[in-house]
Each structure stands twice: as C-alpha cells, then as structure tokens.
Amino acid sequence: MFQKDLLKGKNILVTGGATGIGYAIADAASRLGANIFLMSRNEANLQKAVASLRVNGVNAGYRVANIRDSSQVKQAIDSLYSEAGDLNVLINNAAGNFLNRTENISENGFRAITETVLNGTLNCTTHLGKKWISEGRSGTVLSIVATYAWTGSAFVVPSAVAKAGVLAMTRSLAVEWGPKGIRMNAIAPGPFLTEGMASRLMPTEEMVDAVRNKNPMKRLGELDEIANLAVFLISDGSGFINGEVVTIDGGEWLMGAGQFNSLMNLGDEFWNFIDSMRGKKSQ
Ligand code: COA
C-alpha cells in the first residue's frame, strides 16, 4: 500500500508501543524504514518487542517509564533523543482503562486513568514539543483517542473525560505549534481486539459478538488497518493534515448516533408495511 522507504530515517517514539495497537503501528512503520523507540512500564514486554523488531534488521530501542511521572518521561525522552540524534514523531498510544459503574470508582481509580491518559499524554507531548521548539526542529504528534471523546460513554467515564482532553490538546496545539512546524493529529479507533481490550473492555464472547453485530461492517477492525492509517498520518505525504481526528471504527459511532439507525434490526415485514403506507397518510 505504501512506497517501501516511505518513513526511511524517521525516528519514531511510541508510548505503550510494546503491545497491541502501539506495537502494530511500530511494526508497520519499521517495515517502511523507520527507526523505532518504545516507552512503557513493562521491561519484559519492551525487550520482547524490540527483539522482534530487530529480527527484521530494524534499528530499535526502548526506555522504561511511567508516563504519569513527568520526571521519568523527561529522563526517558532525553536519553532516547541523545541515542537517536533526534526524534521526529511521537505516537501517544499508552493508556489505561477499565469498565465500571462510575459510582464504584474511587478517587485513586479516577486518577489511575486520567493521570495516565491525559497527564501522561501531556507530559510526553509538551516535553518533546519544547525540545523541538528550542532546537528549531519540526515534528509530528499522533495521539490515539476514542470516539467517546466527543460522544461520551457510560461505564468508561475516567477514560472518556481524559480522551476528550487529549483531543482538545490535539486541536489546540495544532494551531499554536503549527507555525513551528509541529503537526498534531489523532486517531479514534473503534473495536480492535487487542489483548488489553479483550481483558479490560470486552471480557466475554457475548460482548465481542454484540460489538461485531452492532457494527455496520459486521466485524471488528484489523490491526494492520489502524497501522496503515497511522503510517499515512505520520508520513510527509499528509503534511497538510493538522488538528484532525480520523475515526476508524467501521461506522460504529454513527450507528449509535443516528435517530433511526435501530431500524437496521427490522426486516422485510416492517419495510413492506412502510411501503403499504405510501399515499395513505392524508386519507
Ligand atoms: N474498577 C474500578 N476501579 C479500579 C479498577 C476497576 N476495574 N481497576 C483498578 N481500579 C482502581 C483500583 O482499585 C485503585 O484504586 P484504590 O487504590 O482506590 O483501590 C486504582 O484504580 C489503581 O489501581 P492499581 O491496581 O494500583 O492499578 P494501576 O495504578 O497500576 O493502573 C490501570 C490501573 C487500569 C491504569 C492499569 O491496569 C493500566 O495501566 N493498564 C494499562 C493497559 C490498559 O488499560 N490498556 C487499555 C486497553 S483498552
């Protein structure tokens, strides 16, 4: 789908990039020539991911850091920056989430999610952004949000408020930092069944089936589909896209939004009845 050397020479930092969507993006970018740097809390996962990338001859490295902790973020980014000579792209993928009724979530539970998703993303973006600006370098930031950043969603309230903040950050800095050569965009994924998603948000086969059946495409997303979108958005070919959020959900959120969309579940009998009503309304 892309030219072989599309991302050649780009140094890409992916937070939470050792597993799931983050790893899929890192892997796809590496196959197009990018050097990959990963940051997460779990060193065993990082080692495994970097080893897999290196099998294909990719230049890859990692640092262990919790993005909630700004001093860890600064240290990790500074040392990766020195190792790489520059970082050109930041992919804000690291997140935390769980399903629960909001009245059951403690203050600490809220903080575990909002400090990871919102503060963590701000920590990474502002630290790297300040470096780019002070050195007069350009850069690209791509953040993974969620469609409930604008629709809201029951049962994931800490994540919803934090993702809404990340989207606001994306649109705000797109304007403020655009003149400095820094592009800010976001992807809002629908259902992609990673291990994290399966264990935290879709723990039963019934839930997976329900999500699949609700989707207009009648399926879940494939990881290479979101990786392709990310590659496009961080490539120079999309250089005029700034401040945008691209949804990749098979139409899931629109399905939930349209006033008459639930009619999708009705069959021929209903539509035959509607047809039989034609022209009768004024009689
Ligand atoms: N429901 C309600 N509260 C929960 C919860 C759940 N399912 N899971 C954790 N919490 C609360 C804990 O009870 C605790 O609050 P307390 O001290 O008042 O009891 C708080 O969250 C922190 O929990 P802890 O176990 O210390 O976890 P943590 O701070 O290491 O991180 C997550 C919690 C959710 C952020 C963690 O699982 C994580 O980092 N996940 C990353 C991967 C991920 O979620 N990916 C998203 C895939 S869609």
Side-chain angles (χ1 to χ4, degrees):
M1 175 164 174
F2 296 111
Q3 281 178 5
K4 206 168 136 272
D5 289 338
L6 186 74
L7 302 176
K8 192 171 172 54
K10 282 201 190 296
N11 297 326
I12 301 182
L13 171 58
V14 189
T15 68
T19 55
I21 288 176
Y23 183 76
I25 295 172
D27 185 43
S30 76
R31 288 168 196 274
L32 295 164
N35 307 313
I36 303 296
F37 300 92
L38 307 178
M39 191 163 89
S40 84
R41 290 178 306 173
N42 186 319
E43 184 153 24
N45 285 345
L46 286 165
Q47 281 172 342
K48 203 169 139 211
V50 164
S52 306
L53 292 167
R54 285 183 181 154
V55 165
N56 301 322
V58 173
N59 176 20
Y62 74 81
R63 292 294 181 279
V64 179
N66 185 340
I67 61 167
R68 285 170 77 174
D69 183 329
S70 67
S71 63
Q72 287 184 30
V73 166
K74 283 180 186 157
Q75 211 174 13
I77 288 183
D78 288 349
S79 93
L80 281 174
Y81 204 90
S82 308
E83 180 181 320
D86 185 10
L87 291 170
N88 316 105
V89 177
L90 167 65
I91 300 186
N92 287 314
N93 165 75
N97 204 355
F98 51 69
L99 273 181
N100 215 324
R101 289 171 292 182
T102 305
E103 63 273 28
N104 282 350
I105 305 175
S106 67
E107 280 179 36
N108 199 30
F110 255 88
R111 273 199 303 271
I113 303 304
T114 56
E115 286 182 6
T116 302
V117 176
L118 180 54
N119 302 62
T121 301
L122 281 166
N123 286 338
C124 298
T125 306
T126 53
H127 188 62
L128 191 51
K130 283 175 187 176
K131 282 178 89 70
W132 283 333
I133 290 165
S134 71
E135 295 178 11
R137 292 177 193 258
S138 58
T140 298
V141 178
L142 179 66
S143 300
I144 306 299
V145 295
T147 55
Y148 56 63
W150 59 90
T151 63
S153 176
F155 310 122
V156 285
V157 169
S159 174
V161 299
K163 294 285 191 186
V166 173
L167 186 52
M169 176 199 81
T170 299
R171 290 173 169 153
S172 305
L173 289 180
V175 173
E176 189 174 334
W177 286 355
K180 299 177 193 302
I182 299 173
R183 281 198 304 134
M184 306 282 308
N185 289 300
I187 291 177
F192 287 83
L193 201 58
T194 60
E195 212 179 299
M197 177 87 157
S199 61
R200 286 158 214 282
L201 302 180
M202 290 201 241
T204 67
E205 203 40 55
E206 289 75 26
M207 275 185 80
V208 177
D209 282 345
V211 168
R212 189 183 288 117
N213 289 333
K214 187 185 97 174
N215 197 291
M217 308 300 290
K218 299 295 172 203
R219 67 175 177 90
L220 308 180
E222 301 286 342
L223 282 175
D224 63 340
E225 293 172 320
I226 191 166
N228 283 338
L229 175 59
V231 162
F232 168 68
L233 288 171
I234 61 176
S235 69
D236 294 338
S238 69
F240 205 49
I241 301 180
N242 185 29
E244 188 54 81
V245 53
V246 182
T247 300
I248 177 163
D249 73 344
E252 179 189 62
W253 89 268
L254 290 169
M255 176 69 189
Q259 188 177 3
F260 295 99
N261 287 352
S262 60
L263 301 187
M264 291 280 290
N265 299 325
L266 300 179
D268 286 345
E269 198 181 334
F270 172 78
W271 292 111
N272 290 339
F273 166 73
I274 290 293
D275 279 343
S276 74
M277 296 293 287
R278 276 191 197 175
K280 291 188 181 163
K281 293 184 186 73
S282 54
Q283 288 170 11

